[in-house]
Amino acid sequence: MEKAVITSTVDLSDGGCNACGLVEDTMYTLAINDVEIPVDDLTVNSLVMAIALRKGYKQELVMDISDEYIVYKNGVESIQLIEDVDQLTYSNDTLTIETANKILDTNILLTKVNEILTKLFKLEELDFVL
């Protein structure tokens, strides 16, 4: 099982005026095989996208008259992502997985990410280390 190490750094910056306080900005990094990948936030979408792109998938934005969605492609594999307000729907020809994007419990979040990566993207399960 491949290890995926998630680290975070917090930057505090001055708001810029006397009335503004310090602004906290948390940045995350995902390291797989000593390759560091910046991650926007600890959400299902951010982690799945970072890992899928690192594993060779290409991302394409598809816009129809009524819909807009993302397609991940890698050879014959094709996974569709439909985003709604904090709701994600990942699907291929045989399986659909719906989930919230923001999951506060980190263990549940990482389990859901692994489920999507293994069942839809056909990738090896990752051993996440925080």
Side-chain angles (χ1 to χ4, degrees), residues 29-93:
T29 303
L30 175 67
I32 301 175
N33 293 331
D34 296 325
V35 176
E36 293 187 349
I37 307 161
V39 178
D40 293 335
D41 203 0
L42 283 186
T43 60
V44 173
N45 191 17
S46 294
L47 290 170
V48 168
M49 178 177 58
I51 295 164
L53 293 177
R54 175 69 187 129
K55 296 294 184 174
Y57 277 83
K58 304 293 182 207
Q59 190 179 38
E60 177 184 342
L61 177 63
V62 178
M63 292 189 282
D64 285 340
I65 294 173
S66 61
D67 282 339
E68 180 178 301
Y69 55 92
I70 295 171
V71 175
Y72 291 95
K73 291 183 181 179
N74 183 7
V76 295
E77 298 292 329
S78 180
I79 296 93
Q80 180 177 317
L81 165 62
I82 298 174
E83 297 175 274
D84 205 357
V85 179
D86 196 43
Q87 183 70 25
L88 304 174
T89 304
Y90 290 90
S91 61
N92 62 14
D93 292 337

